[in-house]
Amino acid sequence: MAEGENEMRWDGLCSRDSTARETALENIRQIILRKTEYLRSVKETPYCPSDGLSNAVSLDGLNKLLAHLLMLSKRCPFKDVREKSEFILKSVQELGIRIPRPLGHGPSRFIPEKEILQVGSEDAQMHALFSDSFAALGRLDNITLVMVFHPQYLESFLKTQHYLLQMDGPLPLHYRHYIGIMAAARHQCSYLVNLHVNDFLHVGGDPKWLNGLENAPRKLQNLGELNKVLAHRPWLITKEHIEGLLKAEEHSWSLAELVHAVVLLTHYHSLASFTFGCGISPEIHCDGGHTFRPPSVSNYCICDITNGNHSVDEMQVNSAGNVPVSDSFFEVEALMEKMRQLQECRDEEEASQEEMASRFEIEKRESMFVFSSDDEEVTPARDVSRHFEDTSYGYKDFSRHGIQVPTFRVQDYCWEDHGYSLVNRLYPDVGQLIDEKFHIAYNLTYNTMAMHKDVDTSMLRRAIWNYIQCMFGIRYDDYDYGEINQLLDRSFKVYIKTVVCTPEKVTKRMYDSFWRQFKHSEKVHVNLLLIEARMQAELLYALRAITRYMT
Amino acid sequence: MEKMSRVTTALGGSALTGHTMHCHLDAPANAISVCRDAAQVVVAGRSIFKIYAIEEEQFVEKLNLRVGRKPSLNLSCADVVWHQMDENLLATAATNGVVVTWNLGRPSRNKQDQLFTEHKRTVNKVCFHPSEAHVLLSGSQDGFMKCFDLRKKDSVSTFSGQSESVRDVQFSIRDYFTFASTFENGNVQLWDIRRPDRCERMFTAHNGPVFCCDWHPDDRGWLATGGRDKMVKVWDMTTHRAKEMHCVQTIASVARVKWRPECRHHLATCSMMVDHNIYVWDVRRPFVPAAMFEEHRDVTTGIAWRHPHDPSFLLSGSKDSTLCQHLFRDASQPVERANPEGLCYGLFGDLAFAAKESLVATDSGRKPYAGDRRHPIFFKRKLDPAEPFTGLASSALSVFEMEPGSGSMSWFVDTAERYALAGRPLAELCDHNAKVARELGRNQVAQTWTMLRMIYCSPGVVPTTNLNHSVGKGSSCGLPLMNSFNLKDMSQGLGSETRLDRSKGDTRSDTVLLDSSATLITNEDNEETEGSDVPADYLLGDVEGEEEELYLLDPEHAHTEEPEYVLPQEAFPLRHEIVDTPPGPEHLQDKAESPHVSGSEADAASLAPVDASFSLISVSHALYDSRLPPDFFSALVCDMLRFYAEQGDVQMAVSVLIVLGERVRKDIDEQTQEHWYTSYIDLLQRFCLWNVSNQVVKLSTSRAISCLNQASTTLHVNCSHCKRPMSSRGWVCDRCHRCASMCAVCHHVVKGLFVWCQGCSHGGHLQHIMKWLEGSSHCPAGCGHLCEYS
């Protein structure tokens, strides 16, 4: 069988021109049918030992194609492609080949599938977003499907990500994906690693690199240290880190490349947070996203285990110990009452300066005690851990070991004034894109809270944002950190803390136990705040170090 | 402090004197402000709040306003302002949102007067009314501006910008009721202090935050604004719509802007990031700053002219914890360093060259054209007689015409396109390039490539005939080895004029080489004695004819365990025969024990021979490589590269540099390399050889060069109607839903190549316009313009 002519071309499907898609689909159909026929003929020949191996190989190849086709039939924004893919799958099945079926989670394990927008029922704006995304990547990933709760943000997010990965920038394409893999692997996020391993190979990356960081060029290896510190303890970044990268003889990074890398690293660290925070399921066409077994055999999903999420158990626990609705109803009421009080009190009673300063310290210190009780070490899955070294290095609160790290004051180095200028200087246009993204995330509101409408949520959003950055030691002079204590309850803090600092430990229980009355879209909204605040915090530390290096 | 020039400016009785000087503060400054009497300056920052007296020779700390037991955030100042009417009155804006006023007249140590805690976020700016004693204005991150009457406890009015954070507020100096405010989203608003309900006027001044603004002290309606988009803009506010009068493009985001007193068109700026200098610009000459102060080591955060009527003293505070007084006279003037020369190619290869007359005059033989008068501002205008632009008053323009046929650069283009620079072994590259050069009739270059190949490539590839010959002859002195030939060839190839300069070096290396080659041969002889188990494959092949000799020699060497020990002893006497220095026995002993030590000792005599004996030790399987130190030729090769570059053939220099890579790179300093690269890339681009130039950029190892194609290549288009950038597609504006570029012929949108007439600015599809203009010479849009297409 000549492999050349059977080389599968999926990119034709990304075209916006329906006739182009048509021909591409027809082409795919023929290839698949030819392969299927071939397999059948091999099966029917009575005994052919020499062919056993190649048979398995070609079956494996076919299965990959079928899985991809399954993904298309579910997730392609173009209706014709969805229908035709399904048709092809059916006809393959009729030929007696087992076809895959998606594992029934939907895009997110935390959010019931029916809550999430179905592909095909989106409105015009969302459809435009979907087709843009599909045209760029050839897929519609689960992250997009969850984020589409907030289309305004999604647009900015996709634009930025597209620019970072595909538009002009100092780093070669395969480097970008590899850096993405490095960053995601730091948080053992197999979802993102899998996605980008595919992309990495697609843009011509060397498969050897995937065996571990030590097989990648020296230049990327050097980035490992920065990746590690940035992901877990960004406040430790010094200009010496930067200097080490920029002055390494022939392996040195240029400033522009470094800024690109830093942006990518922070983007993927925080995206890993989102992936775990929203319980994103594996892609349909990736491992663990589909199965060839009939439904009855097992509900078991590999990725759940690697992510430390045993969703089946969680489900039972949850249904058993569900809090009465009325109870959680009062939760929302209480929160709103507190907001109202704060709004009113603010002008009357003024806290003294020392009081304000100590409130920040308290919040900072307390944020480390806020931790999920089950602190057992989850050993990362083998295939992910090979992308980074030093697995023991994780988030450490600064005050825990008596190390006093000076507080980072936003008034002295902030994104708007300083960070933006630096990024835009070294990596034009990206500063603008990230700036817009921060803005949208920070200002996004529908003025709703659970079942209440017309609520000014700015206070709550600011509390969340500042609490996240507080965990990284970033302080806003003009914020009263006492508000955080009033507005964020413990289970919420546990969730935030886990998602931001050790996302791999997030469980469905945590997701369910905070803000029980709130809608899923609001919880996703919280996650958007989380990832942007985290990204900004990491960026601030990295960029400050670069600025210090430059002066 | 070395600059002790003294400036005295008469100011209607009072006179300011002083030097360029600085003093160290304890902490980074965020803002400074000058007292009305021009003798005191206040510095405020996160952990500093002090008043300094400006004396003749130095700054003297006069008062520390940071008193109290515990540091309070109220004292963490984002901005400070000194009242221009009342010497005792100051106001600060705190990062926690508090506005504090200070009364220096208070008898107690704590001068704090009033505390306004009305803002919810950081207050970015405070501003006193220029003529009213009690009116203070503040602008905050929360988007509100508040006006305070210092006689009351609360604000008198609140202005809501309805957009984002307020970055600056400034009372108009001329209009009693007007103030301007700038916003993080790029807007500038004009307010009437009596009408807090809505602003008088609003316009978008910058893309991104507007960090600062300043009213012109004399011209009523002029407002200067500076933004994150690295621009300073001067607006005329007297007209119905704010009109942009001037625009200065700086290199970093603009943090502060201040008009220079008594100089109508001058303003000073400092930047928020990266750039630490303070610039004084003439807004009509926006490309080169009129003056530049380079004292600070970190970003400048505050600037203030010392006296409202004295243009020569500028004070500045910086994050590097210093307070500086700059004298305009001591400023460095980039104009002086700039080359007022222009060079441009015409469409048909003509070259125009404009320069200072004084420069051109010395260039005899060419008659300068009439002086260029197209840039009156640049060359003629001198508003302030104190400003020394006199040197640039006149210029001359020369035009060199291309003689048809001459100076054809086809060889350059051919060479550039056909050279192979990477991706193959060195030997092949050299061969290929030599072939290319030969085919183009450039024999000298071809010869150079061939020689490079011989110098740097492993011996296995070198034709063995020469070697065979010499070995076969067996004579041990003065052998005409091919290497020595090569050297001579090369020096001839380099041209006669350099031959002279270099002859000394050449002869020296020649002798050295002869030495070494002679030793080599003797060594080879010895090796043969050693036995056939020597893994010097090709050598063995060479000497096959002399096998008898091999067996003639005594067998003791054949079974020596350690050839390292024995062989040098044999090598030495032979070498010394040639060099004519008697061998010392202890030297020999040394050699036997640690060849490295003796190697360095022997350096004095000649380096190469010692190495030759090394090669013997290592049993010569990489004879050629190790016989000479790897960088033996590099000095010569570098000379050769320089020679080519000086001759103007920078192509050769760069190509060799790339092909040889590591081998010579270290020996030429970075700057020279960079210079060659840029010249070559420039040339390539002139000939539209984009691919080659990109390849060169990619292959270059110089950091500055490889950065070249890391910059963005995106070009942004603005809508021709609303002047906003068209973000999604290049041809339709999202905002006003109009198509930007319509074809004047077919009235459809142009999505690809758009060609337009530079006279009437109508245009359209390239094909359509071409076709149209074949039939008609008038503009297709019907505007009556006679368009030309060439």
Side-chain angles (χ1 to χ4, degrees):
Chain A
M1 192 160 74
E3 274 303 316
E5 68 182 69
N6 285 319
E7 198 53 54
M8 193 56 87
R9 310 274 308 164
W10 298 106
D11 32 352
L13 297 177
C14 303
S15 166
R16 284 164 203 280
D17 178 16
S18 61
T19 50
R21 292 200 298 264
E22 183 84 9
T23 39
L25 270 173
E26 185 54 35
N27 202 14
I28 288 166
R29 193 180 74 90
Q30 277 169 12
I31 292 171
I32 289 198
L33 289 184
R34 209 176 316 135
K35 286 203 174 191
T36 316
E37 285 298 332
Y38 169 78
L39 271 175
R40 257 157 57 99
S41 65
V42 169
K43 242 184 225 170
E44 278 159 17
T45 45
Y47 183 64
C48 190
S50 63
D51 220 21
L53 187 68
S54 77
N55 195 5
V57 169
S58 62
L59 180 66
D60 193 41
L62 179 68
N63 282 349
K64 275 206 178 107
L65 296 182
L66 292 179
H68 199 120
L69 214 52
L70 176 71
M71 184 274 286
L72 287 176
S73 73
K74 300 280 175 200
R75 296 286 157 79
C76 182
F78 304 114
K79 192 158 175 256
D80 50 341
V81 177
R82 285 200 303 271
E83 284 167 355
K84 182 91 183 212
S85 310
E86 203 164 342
F87 171 74
I88 297 174
L89 279 175
K90 282 238 172 66
S91 49
V92 170
Q93 193 173 26
E94 280 158 16
L95 287 170
I97 299 284
R98 186 172 286 168
I99 61 161
R101 61 179 183 85
L103 279 167
H105 290 301
S108 160
R109 281 189 312 278
F110 295 172
I111 308 169
E113 201 171 358
K114 61 178 189 314
E115 297 271 339
I116 293 175
L117 185 87
Q118 293 293 308
V119 178
S121 56
E122 69 269 11
D123 63 19
Q125 186 203 2
M126 292 176 184
H127 182 76
L129 277 177
F130 280 172
S131 28
D132 277 347
S133 168
F134 189 81
L137 293 167
R139 61 165 189 259
L140 205 56
D141 50 29
N142 289 337
I143 291 183
T144 309
L145 284 172
V146 173
M147 274 189 191
V148 85
F149 275 123
H150 306 282
Q152 193 195 0
Y153 173 84
L154 177 64
E155 182 180 8
S156 167
F157 173 85
L158 288 176
K159 206 160 93 184
T160 310
Q161 183 167 270
H162 178 64
Y163 197 95
L164 285 178
L165 291 176
Q166 268 133 339
M167 302 298 276
D168 59 20
L171 289 173
L173 293 180
H174 60 289
Y175 264 57
R176 305 182 192 188
H177 289 292
Y178 196 80
I179 291 172
I181 294 171
M182 282 168 69
R186 233 9 283 176
H187 285 306
Q188 301 149 34
C189 180
S190 49
Y191 170 81
L192 286 174
V193 170
N194 281 340
L195 269 190
H196 284 280
V197 163
N198 288 347
D199 289 344
F200 173 75
L201 296 174
H202 185 74
V203 295
D206 184 350
K208 269 196 224 109
W209 296 9
L210 295 175
N211 294 332
L213 192 57
E214 65 277 3
N215 298 308
R218 189 61 200 280
K219 194 168 159 176
L220 283 168
Q221 288 180 32
N222 289 347
L223 197 65
E225 174 71 15
L226 184 70
N227 180 22
K228 190 172 79 177
V229 183
L230 203 55
H232 305 296
R233 302 170 208 179
W235 53 89
L236 293 181
I237 293 175
T238 59
K239 72 173 184 187
E240 281 72 30
H241 284 114
I242 306 297
E243 198 167 347
L245 288 168
L246 294 176
K247 290 187 179 154
E249 301 295 315
E250 65 263 49
H251 307 296
S252 54
W253 292 74
S254 74
L255 265 174
E257 287 171 330
L258 183 66
V259 169
H260 193 171
V262 163
V263 173
L264 279 170
L265 287 176
T266 53
H267 178 82
Y268 280 101
H269 289 154
S270 45
L271 199 56
S273 282
F274 182 84
T275 310
F276 287 114
C278 292
I280 300 291
S281 321
E283 291 296 327
I284 292 178
H285 62 288
C286 291
D287 291 343
H290 59 270
T291 179
F292 284 89
R293 297 180 197 182
S296 57
V297 176
S298 164
N299 252 349
Y300 168 84
C301 164
I302 302 166
C303 263
D304 277 337
I305 289 175
T306 55
N307 293 352
N309 285 309
H310 313 280
S311 56
V312 186
D313 309 344
E314 294 294 343
M315 217 82 95
Q316 286 153 0
V317 169
N318 224 48
S319 55
N322 225 344
V323 187
V325 176
S326 58
D327 196 12
S328 52
F329 176 77
F330 290 125
E331 237 175 27
V332 183
E333 293 293 292
L335 183 56
M336 289 190 60
E337 184 54 34
K338 271 180 191 155
M339 281 170 69
R340 210 161 17 243
Q341 274 172 10
L342 277 173
Q343 194 79 50
E344 285 158 8
C345 295
R346 193 184 263 165
D347 307 296
E348 295 164 16
E349 161 241 4
E350 265 307 318
S352 71
Q353 289 310 307
E354 298 85 59
E355 177 66 21
M356 297 288 260
S358 68
R359 278 181 193 172
F360 172 74
E361 291 302 325
I362 290 168
E363 209 53 54
K364 197 166 87 177
R365 209 167 325 117
E366 269 187 359
S367 70
M368 78 181 176
F369 298 119
V370 178
F371 235 126
S372 53
S373 45
D374 48 324
D375 219 340
E376 89 278 8
E377 239 6 89
V378 181
T379 43
R382 178 76 199 104
D383 62 325
V384 178
S385 66
R386 67 174 177 229
H387 293 296
F388 63 96
E389 65 241 323
D390 196 1
T391 45
S392 59
Y393 195 94
Y395 175 87
K396 285 275 154 37
D397 308 277
F398 12 114
S399 22
R400 188 182 315 208
H401 304 289
I403 315 159
Q404 272 304 314
V405 179
T407 302
F408 186 113
R409 294 190 183 255
V410 164
Q411 266 73 11
D412 291 345
Y413 196 99
C414 66
W415 165 257
E416 284 80 13
D417 295 2
H418 306 94
Y420 170 89
S421 302
L422 187 64
V423 172
N424 235 22
R425 182 188 191 84
L426 295 169
Y427 186 14
D429 299 337
V430 163
Q432 189 65 41
L433 288 170
I434 301 177
D435 192 39
E436 276 171 25
K437 192 156 67 93
F438 285 152
H439 257 266
I440 292 174
Y442 191 88
N443 294 324
L444 188 71
T445 182
Y446 307 98
N447 294 316
T448 56
M449 264 178 78
M451 54 297 240
H452 299 273
K453 289 209 169 66
D454 296 322
V455 191
D456 180 10
T457 57
S458 59
M459 188 186 278
L460 190 57
R461 283 181 284 126
R462 194 167 163 216
I464 298 171
W465 186 279
N466 287 357
Y467 179 64
I468 295 156
Q469 301 207 327
C470 168
M471 287 188 288
F472 290 100
I474 295 177
R475 177 175 181 192
Y476 289 81
D477 278 350
D478 51 3
Y479 187 68
D480 175 5
Y481 284 83
E483 282 185 26
I484 289 177
N485 241 351
Q486 304 273 319
L487 297 176
L488 314 184
D489 59 12
R490 202 187 137 75
S491 58
F492 189 29
K493 278 185 180 173
V494 168
Y495 178 75
I496 293 181
K497 172 87 176 179
T498 317
V499 171
V500 170
C501 301
T502 49
E504 60 277 5
K505 290 183 185 154
V506 176
T507 59
K508 186 160 193 303
R509 193 188 322 182
M510 286 185 200
Y511 177 84
D512 287 330
S513 63
F514 83 97
W515 279 14
R516 272 165 295 209
Q517 274 304 294
F518 284 74
K519 297 188 201 94
H520 285 293
S521 78
E522 285 168 319
K523 293 193 174 184
V524 173
H525 186 173
V526 167
N527 269 290
L528 297 184
L529 281 172
L530 293 183
I531 64 172
E532 292 305 328
R534 175 178 184 194
M535 180 172 177
Q536 193 179 64
E538 282 187 19
L539 266 181
L540 280 178
Y541 277 110
L543 294 175
R544 187 177 67 165
I546 293 177
T547 310
R548 284 191 177 156
Y549 166 79
M550 287 167 77
T551 51
Chain B
M1 292 289 212
E2 281 77 31
K3 301 171 184 169
M4 295 298 277
S5 62
R6 184 164 302 202
V7 172
T8 315
T9 320
L11 289 164
S14 73
L16 279 183
T17 58
H19 312 278
T20 292
M21 60 189 186
H22 66 86
C23 85
H24 188 77
L25 311 171
D26 308 322
N30 276 348
I32 61 169
S33 185
V34 193
C35 177
R36 178 173 68 147
D37 63 5
Q40 295 175 81
V41 59
V42 58
V43 184
R46 172 169 290 284
S47 49
I48 182 173
F49 189 24
K50 283 179 180 173
I51 291 176
Y52 284 85
I54 311 165
E55 297 192 347
E56 183 84 23
E57 306 281 341
Q58 63 197 0
F59 291 103
V60 176
E61 184 181 328
K62 228 183 131 199
L63 188 62
N64 187 357
L65 289 159
R66 246 181 112 77
V67 290
R69 305 160 310 280
K70 284 182 193 141
S72 152
L73 272 183
N74 289 347
L75 289 171
S76 163
C77 304
D79 191 33
V80 63
V81 64
W82 204 319
H83 203 297
Q84 289 306 300
M85 309 280 296
D86 184 348
E87 287 175 17
N88 281 330
L89 196 54
L90 289 125
T92 56
T95 50
N96 64 349
V98 178
V99 176
V100 193
T101 58
W102 307 80
N103 186 355
L104 300 183
R106 277 168 73 119
S108 68
R109 255 183 82 231
N110 190 353
K111 309 285 186 194
Q112 187 170 319
D113 195 21
Q114 288 202 68
L115 216 61
F116 300 101
T117 51
E118 295 189 25
H119 285 294
K120 294 196 186 77
R121 305 281 309 265
T122 300
V123 177
N124 286 319
K125 202 78 185 178
V126 280
C127 176
F128 277 116
H129 195 278
S131 51
E132 201 58 54
H134 301 287
V135 179
L136 174 69
L137 191 66
S138 66
S140 157
Q141 198 76 16
D142 60 14
F144 292 103
M145 295 143 276
K146 285 180 188 285
C147 182
F148 302 97
D149 187 324
L150 301 187
R151 292 162 296 196
K152 294 179 185 164
K153 271 179 71 185
D154 295 316
S155 63
V156 276
S157 44
T158 300
F159 309 86
S160 166
Q162 302 290 353
S163 37
E164 291 173 52
S165 315
V166 186
R167 297 309 299 243
D168 199 356
V169 282
Q170 291 290 338
F171 273 112
S172 167
I173 295 166
R174 299 278 141 170
D175 294 320
Y176 186 87
F177 294 112
T178 310
F179 73 88
S181 56
T182 71
F183 292 85
E184 201 144 85
N185 59 2
N187 285 346
V188 171
Q189 294 180 349
L190 231 55
W191 290 82
D192 188 315
I193 198 93
R194 297 161 297 186
R195 293 199 55 188
D197 52 331
R198 56 184 296 272
C199 65
E200 299 281 287
R201 185 190 289 179
M202 176 166 95
F203 61 95
T204 303
H206 290 265
N207 184 12
V210 191
F211 287 138
C212 53
C213 67
D214 195 32
W215 289 96
H216 197 284
D218 303 316
D219 267 297
R220 189 187 179 89
W222 282 23
L223 180 72
T225 57
R228 193 171 70 178
D229 58 359
K230 307 180 193 169
M231 296 216 250
V232 180
K233 290 179 178 174
V234 179
W235 305 87
D236 185 357
M237 310 290 271
T238 50
T239 51
H240 177 62
R241 253 183 86 156
K243 198 173 99 198
E244 186 184 322
M245 315 255 301
H246 300 284
C247 179
V248 177
Q249 177 85 50
T250 67
I251 57 168
S253 55
V254 183
R256 311 266 167 172
V257 56
K258 285 272 182 274
W259 287 99
R260 188 176 173 205
E262 310 288 306
C263 295
R264 193 162 177 264
H265 289 102
H266 282 199
L267 47 78
T269 66
C270 64
S271 76
M272 188 76 94
M273 275 290 286
V274 190
D275 186 19
H276 310 158
N277 299 340
I278 303 165
Y279 301 99
V280 178
W281 302 87
D282 185 322
V283 290
R284 296 158 304 172
R285 237 185 74 192
F287 304 109
V288 187
M292 194 159 101
F293 301 101
E294 300 165 305
E295 276 84 358
H296 287 300
R297 300 272 73 88
D298 202 338
V299 282
T300 312
T301 46
I303 48 176
W305 294 94
R306 191 170 154 191
H307 190 278
H309 293 289
D310 187 335
S312 49
F313 291 89
L314 180 69
L315 299 167
S316 69
S318 157
K319 280 248 196 269
D320 65 0
S321 307
T322 53
L323 173 67
C324 266
Q325 170 168 277
H326 311 276
L327 242 65
F328 202 80
R329 180 183 273 186
D330 294 337
S332 73
Q333 303 198 349
V335 175
E336 281 173 0
R337 279 178 277 153
N339 285 334
E341 280 138 30
L343 182 76
C344 189
Y345 273 108
L347 184 60
F348 301 106
D350 299 345
L351 181 72
F353 172 63
K356 274 201 276 195
E357 216 146 33
S358 54
L359 280 177
V360 183
T362 58
D363 198 3
S364 58
R366 293 187 184 84
K367 210 172 169 240
Y369 275 46
D372 183 82
R373 292 277 173 265
R374 278 174 302 174
H375 305 291
I377 291 177
F378 196 91
F379 290 109
K380 269 171 39 187
R381 288 277 275 279
K382 281 192 294 149
L383 283 145
D384 190 343
E387 282 178 48
F389 293 151
T390 35
L392 310 171
S394 60
S395 69
L397 179 73
S398 328
V399 175
F400 304 94
E401 281 177 8
M402 230 10 210
E403 280 172 44
S406 79
S408 155
M409 293 282 278
S410 62
W411 60 268
F412 177 86
V413 178
D414 279 354
T415 318
E417 277 174 346
R418 293 171 56 192
Y419 264 179
L421 299 178
R424 283 192 262 171
L426 179 62
E428 276 181 45
L429 290 178
C430 289
D431 279 346
H432 176 90
N433 293 346
K435 198 172 133 242
V436 169
R438 209 171 298 118
E439 280 168 18
L440 291 168
R442 305 175 69 209
N443 287 325
Q444 184 188 324
V445 174
Q447 188 73 6
T448 312
W449 280 113
T450 318
M451 278 162 358
L452 284 175
R453 173 182 193 264
M454 286 168 178
I455 292 171
Y456 287 103
C457 293
S458 61
V461 200
V462 176
T464 47
T465 46
N466 274 344
L467 250 173
N468 240 340
H469 174 67
S470 51
V471 172
K473 247 181 161 181
S475 84
S476 60
C477 59
L479 248 190
L481 265 186
M482 58 159 220
N483 288 55
S484 43
F485 272 133
N486 284 347
L487 270 172
K488 274 176 191 146
D489 279 354
M490 164 141 38
S491 47
Q492 275 155 12
L494 289 174
S496 52
E497 71 273 30
T498 46
R499 177 85 179 97
L500 253 173
D501 317 340
R502 215 160 297 156
S503 57
K504 202 177 150 203
D506 277 352
T507 44
R508 209 201 61 211
S509 51
D510 273 2
T511 50
V512 169
L513 212 112
L514 277 179
D515 282 351
S516 68
S517 52
T519 347
L520 164 76
I521 284 150
T522 52
N523 291 346
E524 279 162 3
D525 286 345
N526 289 322
E527 249 163 64
E528 287 150 20
T529 68
E530 227 231 291
S532 53
D533 54 340
V534 181
D537 356 69
Y538 76 95
L539 255 179
L540 283 177
D542 287 343
V543 293
E544 257 169 59
E546 294 166 328
E547 261 176 73
E548 329 82 308
E549 261 185 68
L550 205 138
Y551 295 108
L552 278 177
L553 279 148
D554 47 356
E556 68 164 316
H557 293 308
H559 49 252
T560 29
E561 291 290 326
E562 288 196 46
E564 284 103 339
Y565 186 80
V566 186
L567 285 170
Q569 284 181 324
E570 290 184 325
F572 257 66
L574 282 164
R575 174 174 78 85
H576 285 282
E577 271 169 31
I578 303 153
V579 185
D580 279 329
T581 38
E586 75 282 357
H587 196 117
L588 269 177
Q589 210 58 37
D590 271 352
K591 183 72 189 165
E593 276 161 27
S594 62
H596 285 275
V597 176
S598 68
S600 54
E601 272 173 28
D603 263 359
S606 137
L607 211 141
V610 177
D611 264 77
S613 58
F614 268 124
S615 77
L616 191 65
I617 293 163
S618 58
V619 208
S620 73
H621 55 257
L623 188 71
Y624 249 83
D625 288 346
S626 51
R627 182 169 50 104
L628 298 170
D631 55 351
F632 178 71
F633 288 105
S634 58
L636 210 67
V637 173
C638 291
D639 278 349
M640 184 268 292
L641 291 183
R642 285 199 190 93
F643 165 75
Y644 274 114
E646 271 160 37
Q647 275 213 328
D649 188 1
V650 74
Q651 180 177 49
M652 184 66 185
V654 172
S655 305
V656 172
L657 204 57
I658 292 176
V659 167
L660 294 182
E662 288 295 338
R663 296 174 187 87
V664 289
R665 192 156 29 101
K666 330 182 257 310
D667 300 304
I668 301 174
D669 65 299
E670 277 271 316
Q671 245 180 341
T672 317
Q673 289 190 35
E674 210 178 298
H675 184 66
W676 292 350
Y677 273 117
T678 41
S679 325
Y680 187 40
I681 289 165
D682 192 41
L683 268 174
L684 288 171
Q685 293 180 344
R686 282 235 179 277
F687 285 100
C688 299
L689 298 163
W690 311 111
N691 291 340
V692 185
S693 103
N694 247 349
Q695 193 196 6
V696 170
V697 171
K698 206 173 154 199
L699 290 173
S700 77
T701 42
S702 160
R703 194 165 316 154
I705 300 299
S706 49
C707 277
L708 279 181
N709 59 6
Q710 291 180 355
S712 165
T713 51
T714 315
L715 215 71
H716 295 282
V717 195
N718 281 7
C719 172
S720 55
H721 299 292
C722 63
K723 305 273 189 293
R724 300 294 175 88
M726 297 196 287
S727 44
S728 60
R729 280 167 210 91
W731 55 82
V732 59
C733 177
D734 294 332
R735 216 170 291 262
C736 48
H737 301 289
R738 284 163 86 162
C739 294
S741 38
M742 306 284 275
C743 176
V745 180
C746 66
H747 296 285
H748 285 295
V749 189
V750 186
K751 294 182 183 175
L753 285 176
F754 183 81
V755 62
W756 73 95
C757 169
Q758 290 179 342
C760 65
S761 71
H762 290 116
H765 292 105
L766 178 60
Q767 297 298 326
H768 291 169
I769 296 290
M770 274 166 78
K771 204 177 276 173
W772 176 273
L773 289 174
E774 275 169 19
S776 163
S777 59
H778 285 274
C779 176
C783 67
H785 186 260
L786 288 170
C787 298
E788 234 179 90
Y789 179 82
S790 49

